[in-house]
Protein backbone atom coordinates (compact mmCIF):
# COMPACT_ATOMS: atom_id res chain seq x y z
CA UNK A 1 0.00 0.00 0.00
CA UNK A 2 1.26 3.46 -0.75
CA UNK A 3 -1.29 5.80 0.81
CA UNK A 4 0.95 7.28 3.52
CA UNK A 5 3.98 5.52 4.98
CA UNK A 6 3.52 7.31 8.31
CA UNK A 7 -0.06 6.14 8.78
CA UNK A 8 0.93 2.68 7.61
CA UNK A 9 3.67 2.59 10.25
CA UNK A 10 1.33 3.82 12.99
CA UNK A 11 -1.37 1.28 12.17
CA UNK A 12 1.19 -1.52 11.91
CA UNK A 13 1.68 -0.92 15.64
CA UNK A 14 -1.82 0.03 16.79
CA UNK A 15 -3.57 -2.42 14.50
CA UNK A 16 -2.18 -5.36 16.45
CA UNK A 17 -4.43 -6.72 19.15
CA UNK A 18 -3.80 -5.31 22.64
CA UNK A 19 -1.05 -2.83 21.71
CA UNK A 20 -3.22 0.28 21.85
CA UNK A 21 -4.95 -0.84 25.04
CA UNK A 22 -1.65 -1.56 26.81
CA UNK A 23 -0.32 1.85 25.82
CA UNK A 24 -3.57 3.50 26.93
CA UNK A 25 -3.49 1.66 30.27
CA UNK A 26 0.07 2.84 30.92
CA UNK A 27 -0.87 6.40 29.94
CA UNK A 28 -3.45 6.51 32.76
CA UNK A 29 -0.91 5.67 35.44
CA UNK A 30 1.32 8.02 37.41
CA UNK A 31 4.59 8.39 35.49
CA UNK A 32 3.21 6.06 32.78
CA UNK A 33 4.51 3.04 34.69
CA UNK A 34 2.98 -0.16 36.06
CA UNK A 35 3.84 -3.67 37.15
CA UNK A 36 2.92 -6.61 34.93
CA UNK A 37 0.18 -7.69 37.36
CA UNK A 38 -1.38 -4.21 37.35
CA UNK A 39 -1.61 -4.18 33.56
CA UNK A 40 -3.00 -7.71 33.55
CA UNK A 41 -5.62 -6.72 36.14
CA UNK A 42 -7.04 -4.02 33.83
CA UNK A 43 -6.86 -6.08 30.64
CA UNK A 44 -8.80 -9.03 31.98
CA UNK A 45 -9.14 -10.93 28.68
CA UNK A 46 -5.43 -11.03 27.81
CA UNK A 47 -3.45 -14.11 28.82
CA UNK A 48 -0.21 -13.65 30.75
CA UNK A 49 1.75 -15.09 27.82
CA UNK A 50 0.12 -12.72 25.33
CA UNK A 51 0.77 -9.76 27.65
CA UNK A 52 4.41 -10.74 27.98
CA UNK A 53 4.77 -10.99 24.19
CA UNK A 54 3.02 -7.66 23.63
CA UNK A 55 5.17 -5.88 26.21
CA UNK A 56 8.28 -7.23 24.44
CA UNK A 57 6.89 -6.07 21.09
CA UNK A 58 6.19 -2.58 22.41
CA UNK A 59 9.74 -2.46 23.81
CA UNK A 60 11.08 -3.33 20.35
CA UNK A 61 9.12 -0.40 18.92
CA UNK A 62 10.70 1.83 21.57
CA UNK A 63 7.33 2.73 23.08
CA UNK A 64 7.92 1.27 26.55
CA UNK A 65 10.90 0.44 28.75
CA UNK A 66 11.29 -2.36 31.24
CA UNK A 67 12.76 -1.16 34.53
CA UNK A 68 14.31 -3.72 36.86
CA UNK A 69 14.99 -2.58 40.42
CA UNK A 70 17.47 -4.74 42.28
CA UNK A 71 15.79 -5.38 45.58
CA UNK A 72 14.36 -8.34 47.44
CA UNK A 73 12.19 -9.29 45.69
CA UNK A 74 13.21 -7.82 42.34
CA UNK A 75 10.75 -5.15 41.19
CA UNK A 76 9.93 -4.93 37.48
CA UNK A 77 7.92 -2.08 36.01
CA UNK A 78 6.98 -1.19 32.46
CA UNK A 79 6.84 2.47 31.59
CA UNK A 80 6.13 4.62 28.58
CA UNK A 81 9.11 6.14 26.83
CA UNK A 82 8.98 9.67 25.46
CA UNK A 83 8.01 8.12 22.11
CA UNK A 84 5.23 6.13 23.83
CA UNK A 85 3.94 9.20 25.68
CA UNK A 86 3.76 11.17 22.45
CA UNK A 87 1.81 8.36 20.77
CA UNK A 88 -0.68 8.10 23.63
CA UNK A 89 -1.13 11.89 23.53
CA UNK A 90 -1.94 11.57 19.83
CA UNK A 91 -4.59 8.97 20.70
CA UNK A 92 -6.55 11.34 22.96
CA UNK A 93 -8.43 13.01 20.06
CA UNK A 94 -9.30 9.56 18.71
CA UNK A 95 -10.69 8.62 22.12
CA UNK A 96 -12.77 11.83 22.17
CA UNK A 97 -14.09 11.01 18.69
CA UNK A 98 -15.06 7.50 19.83
CA UNK A 99 -16.83 8.86 22.90
CA UNK A 100 -18.91 11.08 20.66
CA UNK A 101 -19.71 8.61 17.86
CA UNK A 102 -19.59 5.08 19.31
CA UNK A 103 -23.07 3.54 19.10
CA UNK A 104 -24.67 2.92 22.48
Amino acid sequence: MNVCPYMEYTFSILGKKWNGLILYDLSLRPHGAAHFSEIKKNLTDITPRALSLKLSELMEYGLIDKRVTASTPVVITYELTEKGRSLTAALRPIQAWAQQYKPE
Side-chain angles (χ1 to χ4, degrees), residues 2-46:
N2 228 1
V3 174
C4 174
Y6 307 111
M7 290 300 286
E8 189 174 345
Y9 172 71
T10 304
F11 282 104
S12 73
I13 297 169
L14 295 176
K16 294 179 182 172
K17 189 171 184 177
W18 300 112
N19 285 358
L21 293 174
I22 292 168
L23 292 170
Y24 179 73
D25 181 70
L26 287 172
S27 77
L28 297 176
R29 299 174 180 280
H31 310 291
H35 299 283
F36 183 96
S37 60
E38 294 171 324
I39 301 167
K40 173 67 181 97
K41 183 178 177 183
N42 281 348
L43 302 175
T44 57
D45 292 339
I46 193 170

Side-chain angles (χ1 to χ4, degrees), residues 61-80:
Y61 284 119
L63 297 170
I64 63 172
D65 280 332
K66 180 179 181 178
R67 303 277 181 207
V68 180
T69 305
S71 62
T72 306
V74 172
V75 176
I76 299 172
T77 56
Y78 296 90
E79 82 180 73
L80 292 170

Side-chain angles (χ1 to χ4, degrees), residues 92-103:
R92 298 272 185 244
I94 295 170
Q95 179 188 25
W97 177 88
Q99 287 173 332
Q100 183 173 352
Y101 293 107
K102 181 183 179 286

Side-chain angles (χ1 to χ4, degrees), residues 84-98:
R85 285 189 299 277
S86 68
L87 178 56
T88 58
L91 294 175
R92 298 272 185 244
I94 295 170
Q95 179 188 25
W97 177 88

